[in-house]
Amino acid sequence: MTAPARPSFVGYRFPAEVISQAVWLYFRFPLSLRMVEEMLAFRGIVVSHETLRQWGRKFGQAFANQIRRRLPRAGDKW
């Protein structure tokens, strides 16, 4: 089985770490786009909720797949 393709962040204004963190926050926790926008603004990163929505549409599936892969499965032992 081949490894899933990593999303390409080339051509974006923000570094890959910022985009990854924003998309991860949105998909991992029950936060709205505006809440993620406020969290990033608190850290000095000004980005609109519409940009976050577009990042979520483009990069979200890869992050959601990673999160799902890490969750414990039925029958897993502690």
Side-chain angles (χ1 to χ4, degrees):
M1 185 157 119
T2 62
R6 296 194 56 143
S8 174
F9 298 101
V10 176
Y12 285 87
R13 177 177 147 199
F14 292 96
E17 293 81 20
V18 172
I19 296 172
S20 298
Q21 181 72 19
V23 174
W24 177 78
L25 282 170
Y26 180 68
F27 282 101
R28 181 61 181 97
F29 301 103
L31 299 173
S32 69
L33 292 170
R34 292 183 192 267
M35 287 177 161
V36 174
E37 176 185 8
E38 288 178 12
M39 291 174 77
L40 292 175
F42 182 74
R43 292 179 173 93
I45 302 166
V46 179
V47 62
S48 71
H49 68 278
E50 180 61 25
T51 300
L52 293 171
R53 186 188 70 80
Q54 291 172 357
W55 289 349
R57 284 188 54 131
K58 178 156 184 172
F59 304 114
Q61 190 63 51
F63 285 95
N65 291 342
Q66 287 176 356
I67 291 168
R68 247 183 251 115
R69 218 175 292 126
R70 291 181 191 158
L71 290 175
R73 302 273 185 233
D76 283 352
K77 294 185 180 184
W78 288 76

